[in-house]
Amino acid sequence: MAMTTKEQVLLRTEKVERFQPLNRDLLEPTNHQTVHHSPHSIMFFNCGQSLPPLLRHTDVPVRITESFILSGYRFPNYSLIQCLLSAFRPTNETGNFWTHFLPVFIFAFYFLEPFGLEGAPPTGDPFFYPLWNYFTGVLCLLMASSMAHLLNSMSVVIREVCFFVDYGTISAYTVGSSLAYYYYIHPRAGILELGDGRHNNTQQDPSSPPSSSSSSLAMPEFSVFFETLYIPSSCLVAIICVLACCNTRQRWRTYRYVIRTLVFLLPFLVASTPIFYRLLHSSPYLPTSSSFSSSASMAQFFCRHCFWLVVSALFNISKIPERLSPGSFDIWGHSHQWFHVCTFLSILDELHMINGEVRAILLHPALVVPPAIPPHLPGPTLASTYGVMLVLQASIASIIAWFSWCANSIYKPQGDQLEKEFLAKRHLKCH
């Protein structure tokens, strides 16, 4: 039998008196609104693994709300298993997870292409060290991003740590790209020593005497930058980006999306300098060679790479389409999902560009660079590839640890109070 309106009001009043209301802004001291929310304990494993009901933006702490997303929220008290199960449930984070998790397999499929080329050295050869570092950077970026969106509802502190790691992997990816650009798209790329003992020896005109300044003839304006400062600059900029993005979670929150987008424009500009140089100068390959044909697609893929990056930035800053119709794109189709799709498409075009340059080098091991013949570019080594990434990752990890400690000191006390309240409510529900 249906309850009357009076009975419904009395029942709701009884529930309010039974449980003390939760201050939804307990974790956001500048706001003082209070709401009621579903009771569940903050634990890795709850007494039951049924998923709690989804909540509206008024039922969760302000800290975890997103602009113009009104529903589909998970309260930050899920267990680990509940977080994993929520990947198969329509929440406002489900699309964010799948749009960077599924691309892992697409990327891995196209990444394997160069290893099957004719004349390619073994997969563990030093020639492929930069490519493996690039793969590691992309893999960590996609997995960290998808896992951050899936696991961020375990607690507010874990949410902060998840996105600190996300920012760190983005910076590591930019350095992985820089290593691939340096050894495969560098102005003197291809003039390097392969790990199996073969050399990409240049063919010099016998009538022209050797010149110690041939390197400067090949790239007079940027020889010092390319040879000495390019990789260190990429690493320094990556560290700056991590610091800036992590700071946006504790400061500058009003303009956090703009800051995060603009901050990552700097590493793109630094990392892409070899490509800009190659596009503004003649190809290092002879027009009649197979390498020239393989390398000719570089401009097309790079332009597409830039296009998708611009579109992704527009989605991330504008918050369109949910800005135009708040509540209509809470689960599917909101801007962050399109941001993920566009960033992956940019990575995919970047991979095609790198694969094309690797193919060009392998097709023409005796590279001729007209009109000047520079000396050998030192080939990739463990220290110059994996060593660089290891030092960078250690630096990024220390930054993440510091910001995580700060987040824990800020939000853990409030989280303990929430945990006690939820444990009491969960105990009543389980009995």
Side-chain angles (χ1 to χ4, degrees):
M1 182 176 179
M3 291 188 297
T4 65
T5 303
K6 183 176 180 180
E7 291 174 347
Q8 291 176 344
V9 171
L10 291 174
L11 179 60
R12 180 175 299 181
T13 303
E14 179 183 355
K15 289 182 178 179
V16 171
E17 293 175 348
R18 187 176 182 181
F19 299 112
Q20 181 182 359
L22 171 70
N23 183 0
R24 70 182 284 259
D25 298 303
L26 186 62
L27 305 176
E28 199 74 36
T30 58
N31 200 313
H32 301 285
Q33 299 177 359
T34 59
V35 299
H36 313 293
H37 59 87
S38 60
H40 297 282
S41 61
I42 302 178
M43 301 172 62
F44 266 52
F45 299 98
N46 292 329
C47 60
Q49 293 305 329
S50 59
L51 295 178
L54 298 179
L55 306 173
R56 291 186 60 79
H57 69 291
T58 54
D59 300 325
V60 294
V62 173
R63 183 75 183 177
I64 71 171
T65 60
E66 297 291 340
S67 302
F68 312 108
I69 302 297
L70 307 183
S71 63
Y73 287 98
R74 302 169 297 170
F75 198 84
N77 64 334
Y78 273 45
S79 70
L80 176 61
I81 292 179
Q82 287 175 331
C83 285
L84 297 177
L85 291 176
S86 68
F88 305 97
R89 179 193 195 189
T91 73
N92 56 29
E93 292 281 26
T94 304
N96 295 336
F97 167 75
W98 289 108
T99 49
H100 262 181
F101 182 74
L102 292 178
V104 170
F105 304 97
I106 302 173
F107 178 82
F109 175 79
Y110 287 104
F111 169 77
L112 296 175
E113 177 186 328
F115 301 105
L117 295 175
E118 183 178 355
T123 56
D125 191 275
F127 177 77
F128 286 127
Y129 285 174
L131 197 61
W132 281 114
N133 276 267
Y134 173 69
F135 173 79
T136 302
V138 174
L139 178 65
C140 290
L141 182 154
L142 296 176
M143 290 302 298
S145 174
S146 56
M147 289 298 107
H149 287 289
L150 187 63
L151 304 179
N152 65 41
S153 62
M154 294 179 68
S155 73
V156 176
V157 174
I158 292 178
R159 178 184 177 86
E160 297 297 297
V161 174
C162 282
F163 288 110
F164 292 154
V165 174
D166 189 20
Y167 305 145
T169 57
I170 294 174
S171 292
Y173 151 73
T174 62
V175 175
S177 298
S178 298
L179 289 171
Y181 292 173
Y182 182 78
Y183 287 106
Y184 304 133
I185 312 180
H186 188 281
R188 283 164 36 203
I191 314 171
L192 45 79
E193 186 175 346
L194 298 181
D196 57 2
R198 294 181 292 121
H199 293 264
N200 287 355
N201 294 321
T202 57
Q203 298 176 353
Q204 185 170 356
D205 186 352
S207 62
S208 60
S211 172
S212 61
S213 62
S214 54
S215 175
S216 61
L217 291 176
M219 43 181 185
E221 304 92 346
F222 304 107
S223 58
V224 174
F225 173 75
F226 282 134
E227 299 304 315
T228 309
L229 302 177
Y230 174 63
I231 296 298
S233 298
S234 296
C235 293
L236 178 61
V237 169
I239 291 174
I240 293 173
C241 288
V242 177
L243 288 168
C245 287
C246 289
N247 262 307
T248 62
R249 300 201 68 82
Q250 297 176 0
R251 305 179 182 89
W252 318 323
R253 288 189 58 79
T254 302
Y255 305 102
R256 59 189 183 275
Y257 298 114
V258 176
I259 293 173
R260 292 170 195 168
T261 302
L262 294 180
V263 157
F264 284 110
L265 177 64
L266 181 58
F268 165 77
L269 294 175
V270 173
S272 300
T273 48
I275 304 177
F276 294 140
Y277 186 93
R278 284 280 297 272
L279 293 176
L280 295 174
H281 294 75
S282 59
S283 172
Y285 304 103
L286 293 177
T288 57
S289 67
S290 301
S291 297
F292 183 87
S293 301
S294 179
S295 181
S297 61
M298 183 184 72
Q300 174 188 354
F301 284 124
F302 182 67
C303 289
R304 284 167 47 175
H305 171 67
C306 295
F307 170 77
W308 291 121
L309 285 178
V310 171
V311 174
S312 67
L314 292 176
F315 275 121
N316 197 38
I317 294 175
S318 68
K319 297 301 171 186
I320 291 175
E322 64 267 22
R323 177 187 291 271
L324 304 178
S325 181
S328 300
F329 301 94
D330 290 351
I331 307 300
W332 304 110
H334 58 75
S335 61
H336 203 79
Q337 294 170 9
W338 292 113
F339 168 73
H340 277 193
V341 171
C342 292
T343 53
F344 174 67
L345 290 175
S346 74
I347 291 173
L348 196 60
D349 281 326
E350 180 184 49
L351 175 64
H352 290 320
M353 176 180 66
I354 293 173
N355 283 350
E357 293 302 307
V358 172
R359 186 186 307 109
I361 294 173
L362 295 174
L363 286 173
H364 200 337
L367 181 63
V368 179
V369 182
I373 309 300
H376 285 298
L377 174 68
T381 64
L382 285 173
S384 66
T385 53
Y386 292 103
V388 169
M389 287 294 283
L390 183 61
V391 172
L392 176 72
Q393 294 283 21
S395 302
I396 291 176
S398 64
I399 295 172
I400 292 173
W402 166 255
F403 278 97
S404 299
W405 180 84
C406 293
N408 185 69
S409 63
I410 294 172
Y411 301 114
K412 187 63 165 66
Q414 294 91 339
D416 291 340
Q417 181 177 342
L418 285 175
E419 183 174 5
K420 292 178 182 179
E421 187 173 333
F422 281 129
L423 282 172
K425 295 180 182 180
R426 185 61 176 170
H427 177 77
L428 290 175
K429 180 172 181 178
C430 292
H431 293 79

